[in-house]
Amino acid sequence: QVQLVESGGGLVQAGGSLRLSCAASGSSFTINAMGWYRQAPGKRRELIAAITTAGSTNYAHSVKGRFTISRDNAKNTVYLQMDSLKPEDTAVYYCSAEAHLIALPGTYDYWGQGTQVTVSS
């Protein structure tokens, strides 16, 4: 199966930066789109950035211009560079990947365990 592991979260001051990484591991799989979601207390999980295998990107309005998503297809890894962080960015950030397992038909969504990002004011 596919396992996603996020890293890079932590506590930063407003205006600071963090870079999140998410590596997919396993065997006999290929990955299509990858993305980053976040969930703050009392809120639904929201998509903040997504990237296709070809490199096309989409961003939520709230992070556009401040966050940058990128990926390394050879490493099955997606990154999220977060700059000019604001207290309202505080949330658990989750990596997601649309993956195809060679042994199974179709594609399925996989999720990482989440990494906490806290921005202090």
Side-chain angles (χ1 to χ4, degrees):
Q1 296 183 342
V2 180
Q3 181 180 13
L4 302 177
V5 179
E6 302 102 332
S7 62
L11 174 64
V12 298
Q13 297 183 50
S17 298
L18 284 174
R19 192 187 194 215
L20 306 183
S21 299
C22 173
S25 62
S27 62
S28 301
F29 70 91
T30 58
I31 292 179
N32 300 126
M34 301 186 79
W36 288 95
Y37 293 72
R38 69 184 181 188
Q39 187 168 24
K43 296 184 178 180
R44 287 193 171 193
R45 184 165 50 193
E46 64 171 335
L47 175 66
I48 57 173
I51 186 168
T52 68
T53 54
S56 297
T57 60
N58 283 303
Y59 297 92
H61 177 73
S62 59
V63 306
K64 194 174 183 65
R66 299 187 297 120
F67 292 8
T68 303
I69 188 171
S70 61
R71 66 187 291 170
D72 185 331
N73 291 335
K75 296 181 179 180
N76 286 327
T77 300
V78 63
Y79 307 92
L80 185 68
Q81 177 67 43
M82 304 185 293
D83 298 319
S84 301
L85 283 162
K86 305 174 181 179
E88 49 264 45
D89 293 320
T90 296
V92 177
Y93 285 70
Y94 297 90
C95 171
S96 180
E98 181 186 59
H100 169 69
L101 298 178
I102 302 301
L104 298 174
T107 60
Y108 300 87
D109 292 334
Y110 295 86
W111 297 88
Q113 81 286 354
T115 184
Q116 177 70 46
V117 172
T118 302
V119 184
S120 64
S121 59

